[in-house]
Amino acid sequence: GAGVSQSPSNKVTEKGKDVELRCDPISGHTALYWYRQRLGQGLEFLIYFQGNSAPDKSGLPSDRFSAERTGESVSTLTIQRTQQEDSAVYLCASSLPLTGTRQETQYFGPGTRLLVL
Amino acid sequence: AQRVTQPEKLLSVFKGAPVELKCNYSYSGSPELFWYVQYSRQRLQLLLRHISRESIKGFTADLNKGETSFHLKKPFAQEEDSAMYYCALRAAGNKLTFGGGTRVLVKP
C-alpha cells in the first residue's frame, strides 16, 4: 500500500516568511511524528500525535513552530518567520496505535528539504 | 534526558570484511533500541530492533546494558550495505532519539 507521503519535497523560502509542510500518514496509523534533520546531524524529535490525546510538543524548538493534525489523517507543520537555522530536512513518520509496551515501527516519509535564504 | 552517540561518522571497509557500527546510549529507564538505515535516494527504514533479537540482511545487534551499547555488526560486508545507519532509542511514548548517524562505504 501507499507509504507516508510528504509535500512539498523541496521548499526554498526567504528569511522571515512562513512555511507549511504537509504529511499524509499511512491509513490506519493513528500515531504521527515530526522530526528535523539538519545537515550532517541526526534526527531531532519535534512533535508527536497519538489519536485524540494531547500532542507531545516537547521537541518544538521555539514558538515559531507549530503543528496540527486533522483527526487521524493529514498533519501540517508550520514554521513562522523562518530563520536560516531552520534549514533542514523535515521528516514525518507514522505508526500503528501504541498498545501497552508493544513497540510500533515508525514508517518514514521521504522528507521535505527546506532552505531558508 | 536520553542521548544516543555514534562516534564514527564514516566507516569505509572492503567487501567481505567485517563491519561494526558503534552506538552508545544514556537513559535512566529500560531502553528500547533500534537501528535504522537509509540507502541512497530512499527513505529511512527500520533495520532491526533489540527486542526481536533477529538478524536482518546479515546484521545483528546486541544490547549490552552494562556498557550501555547497542553496536551493529556484520561479519561480511557487501557493496549493497553502503548506506547511512542511525541508532535510535525509544523513550516515553513512541518518540525516538537518534544518534548522529554513521555512513558506511563498502568498497569492491
Side-chain angles (χ1 to χ4, degrees), chain A residues 8-10 14-15 18 35 39 44 46-48 51 55 67-68 77 82 85-86 98 104 107 116:
Chain A
S9 54
N10 292 280
E14 294 178 347
K15 178 182 171 181
D18 298 351
Y35 295 89
L39 187 64
E44 306 168 70
L46 296 177
I47 187 169
Y48 159 53
E68 292 184 351
L77 176 69
T82 52
E85 64 261 26
D86 299 334
L98 300 187
E104 294 297 344
Y107 294 86
V116 182

Side-chain angles (χ1 to χ4, degrees), chain A residues 60-82:
Chain A
L60 294 178
S62 77
D63 59 7
R64 296 186 296 105
F65 287 73
S66 63
E68 292 184 351
R69 188 177 187 193
T70 308
E72 295 183 347
S73 59
V74 172
S75 174
T76 55
L77 176 69
T78 301
I79 309 173
Q80 296 178 308
R81 306 181 302 281
T82 52

Side-chain angles (χ1 to χ4, degrees), chain B residues 6-107:
Chain B
Q6 294 178 248
E8 304 126 336
K9 286 196 177 296
L10 174 65
L11 273 181
S12 182
V13 300
F14 284 103
K15 176 182 174 181
V19 62
E20 180 179 30
L21 289 73
K22 291 186 169 49
C23 172
N24 289 90
Y25 67 89
S26 61
Y27 181 54
S28 57
S30 181
E32 298 178 26
L33 277 299
F34 305 80
W35 277 98
Y36 277 79
V37 61
Q38 187 167 27
Y39 301 103
S40 179
R41 288 185 289 276
Q42 294 187 28
R43 60 186 67 188
L44 194 65
Q45 59 186 284
L46 178 68
L47 179 62
L48 54 78
R49 63 186 87 185
H50 92 269
I51 198 169
S52 300
R53 302 186 67 81
E54 56 199 344
S55 174
I56 302 293
K57 299 183 178 182
F59 284 97
T60 59
D62 290 320
L63 178 62
N64 186 323
K65 293 185 179 181
E67 296 183 357
T68 60
S69 69
F70 187 56
H71 303 328
L72 182 69
K73 303 175 186 179
K74 184 169 183 176
F76 308 104
Q78 303 300 312
E79 290 183 66
E80 56 264 31
D81 296 328
S82 295
M84 279 294 295
Y85 291 81
Y86 295 94
C87 183
L89 180 150
R90 188 180 89 150
N94 203 28
K95 62 186 180 185
L96 297 171
T97 298
F98 286 83
T102 298
R103 180 171 298 281
V104 171
L105 177 61
V106 181
K107 297 178 286 189

Side-chain angles (χ1 to χ4, degrees), chain A residues 12 18 37 52 61 66-67 85 87 89 98-101:
Chain A
V12 181
D18 298 351
Q37 185 175 28
N52 295 320
S66 63
E85 64 261 26
S87 296
V89 176
L98 300 187
T99 53
T101 58

